[in-house]
Amino acid sequence: KQEVTQIPAALSVPEGENLVLNCSFTDSAIYNLQWFRQDPGKGLTSLLLIQSSQREQTSGRLNASLDKSSGRSTLYIAASQPGDSATYLCAVSGGGNKLTFGTGTQLKVEL
Amino acid sequence: DTAVSQTPKYLVTQMGNDKSIKCEQNLGHDTMYWYKQDSKKFLKIMFSYNNKELIINETVPNRFSPKSPDKAHLNLHINSLELGDSAVYFCASSLVPTGPFYEQYFGPGTRLTVT
């Protein structure tokens, strides 16, 4: 059974800092990994999708890496801004169309 | 707007009632999902439909019954609501999930409160 864990559970940083969010999963037989952002009371916004054959994906200030063999992914956020404050979720897709979500990292970027 | 939409956004009801949550997507996707996010913010899949056919049915009480009138709609009907059903329910959609290329798109969620 796939289990996804995210560390840290919560993170508070000053504006401008670069930061790394971690995601680990127990079963390396995945099709892809997605990073989502969830704002309070809102739905999920997909940030990046990394296919199992890829090592990283970049979008603006975000960079996600994937090491499938070790069951790890990181989300790197450069030059953090208060608007980046949200909960970040990673989710892995295994056989079929089932996404298994991580426990989330609640990020607060302070002025 | 092209998106996944859900109604209602908020639903407050009493124990024992029957309620429905509606979901529609206009992305042309073939597959739709229902997820539950509990009070600890943990998201877990409940159901998945592909072209109106049930694909995934996790360990969900029989009181929950998804209904897909067409591939653009997946509604969630809940009978005999219980306090533990209080959660945020998210609908999502994707293209047919063959291999690593599909991406799921989520609706805004429906916050269900059972009193």
Side-chain angles (χ1 to χ4, degrees), chain A residues 22-79:
Chain A
N22 297 291
C23 173
S24 61
F25 46 95
T26 55
D27 186 350
S28 62
I30 64 169
Y31 283 142
N32 63 40
L33 183 145
Q34 269 185 269
W35 281 95
F36 292 89
R37 168 187 173 137
Q38 184 175 23
D39 293 280
K42 301 273 180 74
L44 279 70
T45 302
S46 180
L47 298 172
L48 289 163
L49 180 146
I50 311 178
Q51 296 169 24
S52 58
S53 59
Q54 296 177 319
R55 298 284 290 182
E56 65 178 332
Q57 279 283 0
T58 298
S59 175
R61 293 182 294 107
L62 305 179
N63 176 279
S65 68
L66 174 64
D67 184 344
K68 201 175 94 161
S69 59
S70 68
R72 294 173 192 267
S73 175
T74 61
L75 179 67
Y76 175 82
I77 303 176

Side-chain angles (χ1 to χ4, degrees), chain A residues 1 4 31-32 34 36 38 41-44 46-49 51-52 89 93-94 96-99 101-103, chain B residues 9 31 33 35 37 41-45 48 55-56 58 90 97 99-104 106-109 111:
Chain A
K1 179 185 172 185
V4 183
Y31 283 142
N32 63 40
Q34 269 185 269
F36 292 89
Q38 184 175 23
K42 301 273 180 74
L44 279 70
S46 180
L47 298 172
L48 289 163
L49 180 146
Q51 296 169 24
S52 58
L89 296 162
S93 166
N97 51 3
K98 182 177 170 180
L99 271 183
F101 277 86
T103 45
Chain B
K9 188 172 173 66
T31 306
Y33 314 79
Y35 289 84
Q37 187 172 42
K41 307 295 185 187
F42 188 63
L43 258 167
K44 190 171 181 182
I45 192 166
S48 165
I55 302 297
I56 291 177
E58 292 292 286
F90 287 98
F101 306 108
Y102 80 95
E103 186 172 354
Q104 292 191 22
F106 282 75
R111 181 174 294 277

